Amino acid sequence: MSKVETILSQLKDIAANPKKAMDDFKAETGKGAVGIMPIYSPEEMVHAAGYLPMGIWGAQGKTISKARTYLPAFACSIMQQVMELQCEGAYDDLAAVVFSVPCDTLKCLSQKWKGTSPVIVFTHPQNRGLEAANQFLVTEYELVKKQLEAYLDVKITNAALERSIAIYNENRAVMREFVKVAADYPQVIDAVSRHAVFKARQFMLKEKHTALVKELIEEVKAMPVQPWDGKKVVVTGILLEPNELLDIFNEFKLAIVDDDLAQESRQIRVDVLDGEEGPLYRMAKAWQQMYGCSVATDTKKGRGKMLINKTIQTGADAVIVAMMKFCDPEEWDYPVMYREFEEKGIKNLMIEVDQEVSSFEQVKTRLQSFVEML
Amino acid sequence: MYTLGIDVGSASSKAVILKDGKDIVAAEVVQIGTGSTGPQRALEKVIETSGLKKEDISYTVATGYGRFAFKDADKQVSEISCHAKGIYFLVPTARTIIDIGGQDAKAIRLDNNGGIKQFFMNDKCAAGTGRFLEVMARVLETTLDKMAELDEQATDTAPISSTCTVFAESEVISQLSNGESRNNIIKGVHLSVASRACGLAYRGGLEKDVVMTGGVAQNAGVVRAVAGVLKTDVIVAPNPQTTGALGAALFAYEAAQKN
């Protein structure tokens, strides 16, 4: 097995076995893990406390039954999965769960957590242009920090936070580099592997993830760039799972050359900048810098333009919108983006993403037709 | 040169043999689809009707839901591409295609050269598809082929939800319990199917001529309802069930020429 294959295999294992990743971390450090609900959280705080932040983004292909007690069938697919796993006690080993509430479903779910772990809920200000919004979010983060310190019995110092911020910034920078490398080497980093590199990031200390991804990038870049005889696409949406769906991308030679997925590149888009202000203030300010996301208010609706630019810059053939089933914020963005794509002549396709689904024939037809159309 | 297109659908199997990419030699439909003997029977029937032998066929393209399961094909092409190809061949003025099949519905936008500009498919739900009509026909104690005629005798349109087949079935039963006329309910069912399909067509932007294809296009009640919702004339493709197979045969001809 080559070095690249070894690293990818390691990251795929972590992405597929989060419980093992958490248990290994506990055995190694004696400390626990804290759940991080979608979409944006001050993860650096958990890291600074010495705990492992664990992303909670549902599960692949799990049948929903218990969650039906609490959620209507038309609640978003990730939350259905999260509720099902909560009911089964899957998250009860977590020392706490940090919960942002940028959409109605998250807000409601935060109020009826069925697991035994304590839940720390905070709110992002949506009027993001005001200085008062920064101050509001600092106060929210102070409350998150206070509760984390209480539940974890750890003092989160500014020095530890600064160190964690630096580690996270480095990881985000390395992942942005990875996105470019994956675009250049689709024969080496296919859609499933690309996703695994992002997904493993949710279940590892970022410094360890950074080290592995750096090594991966170095190994891949040492190879000659080969011409790609398939098509290139930019994908957008909340997430693009399960792997069976990504296998179809591979089957039809659709290389993902950039993404705007909430689970992937939106997590690495914005850094916490250096400055004279304290760490919490700078972390709060990062939220104001966030752009192109359906849950972050943007009166100018710049997401479509951002995707058009990404398509042009990467030389992509098209944009694929991975529409999370029953996700209101994403559905609201779609007609605006669609009109802009059409006006600019950007080929585009919408596919539906449902984590529960186990049959992929319909999406296969859509993707095959799309490839034939390009 | 003879080429074959076979459309292995969810509810039926269709086959077309084409001569030199322009003359339809034979077209057959077997009302049973993928996972059954339907595809093989459609193949045998179309060969028999054409008077040809299997070895006379230069190239075969399979399309439809079961296209990858049909092992005798040289190539598989998606049904969206095949319907677009077949319709443009039959109706070159077509710019919007509404295809309602057994288990899905699609709206396809064509450019002036017959290329696909955009397409939308229904979500994973039977509402607005042929299966929906089958379920409703059973509840209403009629058959698919009689629904258009009964629709024509309706004096009003009973409202039927277009959200979900199961909900709609309950609504139909409620309407029947309340004494609503069967014909009015059938007209409501057709409007429900049309609303779903037209929602897809609106999403991609509507452009004339609008052509309906797929098995459901044989139901004049649904066609009238679609025309009413879209407020435009709707052309029904000749032999609407076989346009996908025709498109596949055209693709087969193109591929054979390249070989």
Side-chain angles (χ1 to χ4, degrees), chain A residues 66-97:
Chain A
K66 301 174 192 74
R68 297 271 186 253
T69 313
Y70 306 103
L71 284 174
F74 48 80
C76 103
S77 167
I78 301 178
M79 293 308 126
Q80 303 264 8
Q81 296 283 343
V82 170
M83 180 57 96
E84 187 73 15
L85 288 162
Q86 275 177 56
C87 293
E88 292 179 356
Y91 304 126
D92 290 349
D93 288 340
L94 298 169
V97 175

Side-chain angles (χ1 to χ4, degrees), chain A residues 251-252 331 334 338 342 347-350 352 357 359 361-362 364-366 368-370 372-373, chain B residues 65 67-68 76-81 104 116-124 203-205:
Chain A
E251 183 182 340
F252 292 126
E331 286 278 7
Y334 179 69
Y338 176 73
E342 293 292 305
K347 297 279 185 190
N348 62 94
L349 170 74
M350 182 178 75
E352 192 184 69
V357 81
S359 166
E361 280 311 313
Q362 203 197 44
K364 193 170 179 176
T365 296
R366 289 191 200 202
Q368 186 184 7
S369 306
F370 192 56
E372 288 163 0
M373 178 182 130
Chain B
Y65 187 74
R67 63 193 179 281
F68 291 104
Q76 291 80 23
V77 178
S78 78
E79 53 265 44
I80 291 166
S81 299
D104 60 28
I116 298 173
K117 278 170 85 173
Q118 186 57 277
F119 64 88
F120 287 93
M121 279 176 85
N122 66 318
D123 298 332
K124 290 176 282 295
R203 206 154 200 179

